Amino acid sequence: MAHLSQETHKAYYAANTGIDYAIAWLSEPSHQPNWQYQDQQRWADLQISALGSGAQNYQVNIQYQQQYFPKISPYIFIKASAYADNQSHIKAQQSIWVTDKLPLLNEAAKNIPPIINHACIETESVYPGFNQQGEPLPYAYASANTECVHQQHQFISDLNDPWSYLVNARLDRETYKKLAQQESVRPVSARRFFYVDAAKIQQKIWQPEAQVLGTPEQQVFIYFPAQAACPKLQNVTLYALVFIEGDCDASQWQQVEIVGALVVNGKLNNLNKQTEIYSLSHHHLGATLEIAGIGVHRILGSWRDF
């Protein structure tokens, strides 16, 4: 009897592993569900074969079903069932509800000018973009600096801390670092989050993994912490929100094109014609910054075993 109880517990562990696998599968960009779907939606059931636990293996079956509740965020119901290979009467099931991916950026970030910093700057190589009607947008940069009188300057009082203004309140810098580290094992083209620490800077020059990061359809987030000390950029095209901590001297930047936004949590100095910064809407009318969401989130209290 004790042996049977032990094997049943192992089956529950296998089912729990199935839940973890199911959430990881949903979190992959290629499997992103249509969270705004107005009816029930299902994916083909997933199978995980031969999850081992000692001498016993378990077959795990995963089922998904999406539910949409009017005026409430959509949810997905996940059920994982584990069956012992050689003892069919040993079975365990677990279920959980999950909800939409956590957005990286706040709503305020979607329509920011191409540059945010603490200084008053020249905007000769900054291109604000256009709205959906093709009308030019008025602002080339934004700050909380009350001394800037440039007609293309937008005053936003909350920009003393650009991170808090732009990034989801549930995502601090340390959490972002962990997310970027987790993604670092993926192919460069599949990554959404980049964390450029001092170890990635050689002779004050950042050498990215590719000369083009991000795409017009899938922008990325590139974060330079203070230790990176605003390195020299050269020969890169970034479809991205680039976030640099501390003052930044851009005089040595060469052949740099940023399509999205450059955010400097300090003063941006000496921006030259070798660097061109475009709003995404300059290339695509009315387009806004959209960086893919982060993970899929469990709804606390919804876990069940049966």
Side-chain angles (χ1 to χ4, degrees):
M1 195 70 177
H3 172 73
L4 181 61
S5 176
Q6 184 180 25
E7 293 301 326
T8 301
H9 275 89
K10 290 179 180 179
Y12 277 111
Y13 291 138
N16 189 62
T17 299
I19 293 289
D20 291 339
Y21 182 92
I23 292 174
W25 187 87
L26 277 179
S27 297
E28 282 294 313
S30 59
H31 302 147
Q32 185 170 355
N34 178 4
W35 294 95
Q36 300 306 316
Y37 194 74
Q38 298 287 325
D39 202 346
Q40 294 188 1
Q41 177 175 334
R42 294 197 64 167
W43 290 267
D45 294 346
L46 296 179
Q47 300 285 337
I48 309 175
S49 61
L51 278 174
S53 181
Q56 180 63 62
N57 289 329
Y58 299 87
Q59 302 294 325
V60 179
N61 177 64
I62 299 168
Q63 296 177 335
Y64 296 92
Q65 186 168 358
Q66 182 169 0
Q67 299 283 346
Y68 185 89
F69 302 101
K71 299 182 180 180
I72 304 177
S73 296
Y75 298 106
I76 290 178
F77 176 74
I78 300 172
K79 182 171 74 173
S81 305
Y83 303 86
D85 271 356
N86 55 17
Q87 299 184 54
S88 60
H89 61 284
I90 296 180
K91 179 178 73 172
Q93 293 182 321
Q94 294 186 18
S95 68
I96 197 167
W97 288 91
V98 297
T99 191
D100 200 349
K101 297 183 178 182
L102 178 69
L104 178 72
L105 301 178
N106 293 326
E107 283 295 315
K110 293 183 178 181
N111 295 296
I112 58 173
I115 292 179
I116 286 176
N117 88 124
H118 296 334
C120 307
I121 63 172
E122 295 298 325
T123 59
E124 192 173 359
S125 58
V126 183
Y127 304 91
F130 306 90
N131 63 21
Q132 291 181 339
Q133 290 71 44
E135 300 165 336
L137 297 172
Y139 301 119
Y141 73 104
S143 75
N145 191 332
T146 58
E147 297 179 359
C148 300
V149 295
H150 196 292
Q151 64 179 2
Q152 288 189 296
H153 169 254
Q154 180 182 18
F155 172 77
I156 302 176
S157 59
D158 292 336
L159 284 179
N160 284 314
D161 180 10
W163 185 279
S164 298
Y165 182 76
L166 301 172
V167 180
N168 192 299
R170 295 170 60 185
L171 185 69
D172 58 25
R173 290 164 170 85
E174 191 60 32
T175 304
Y176 175 82
K177 178 180 179 180
K178 293 176 182 177
L179 286 169
Q181 289 173 337
Q182 291 170 6
E183 279 211 343
S184 64
V185 299
R186 304 175 67 180
V188 174
S189 60
R191 291 166 61 185
R192 297 161 292 170
F193 317 123
F194 294 81
Y195 187 93
V196 186
D197 57 21
K200 297 182 176 70
I201 309 298
Q202 303 294 328
Q203 297 180 336
K204 299 183 179 181
I205 300 175
W206 175 45
Q207 300 286 356
E209 294 91 331
Q211 285 188 303
V212 179
L213 295 180
T215 67
E217 294 75 29
Q218 181 173 311
Q219 304 93 58
V220 299
F221 193 102
I222 305 172
Y223 180 71
F224 293 82
Q227 298 90 325
C230 183
K232 178 180 178 180
L233 308 184
Q234 57 184 18
N235 302 316
V236 292
T237 298
L238 309 173
Y239 295 93
L241 190 154
V242 180
F243 195 110
I244 298 174
E245 297 281 10
D247 294 343
C248 185
D249 183 351
S251 61
Q252 298 300 308
W253 292 9
Q254 297 177 1
Q255 303 302 317
V256 176
E257 182 178 358
I258 297 174
V259 181
L262 170 63
V263 180
V264 177
N265 192 13
K267 294 181 178 181
L268 175 63
N269 300 310
N270 302 316
L271 190 66
N272 61 51
K273 294 181 181 179
Q274 291 288 309
T275 299
E276 295 182 334
I277 302 176
Y278 297 87
S279 166
L280 191 65
S281 65
H282 187 274
H283 292 3
H284 305 276
L285 297 183
T288 58
L289 276 171
E290 298 282 354
I291 297 175
I294 303 165
V296 169
H297 293 269
R298 301 169 185 245
I299 298 176
L300 297 179
S302 69
W303 176 86
R304 298 287 185 273
D305 64 52
F306 49 93

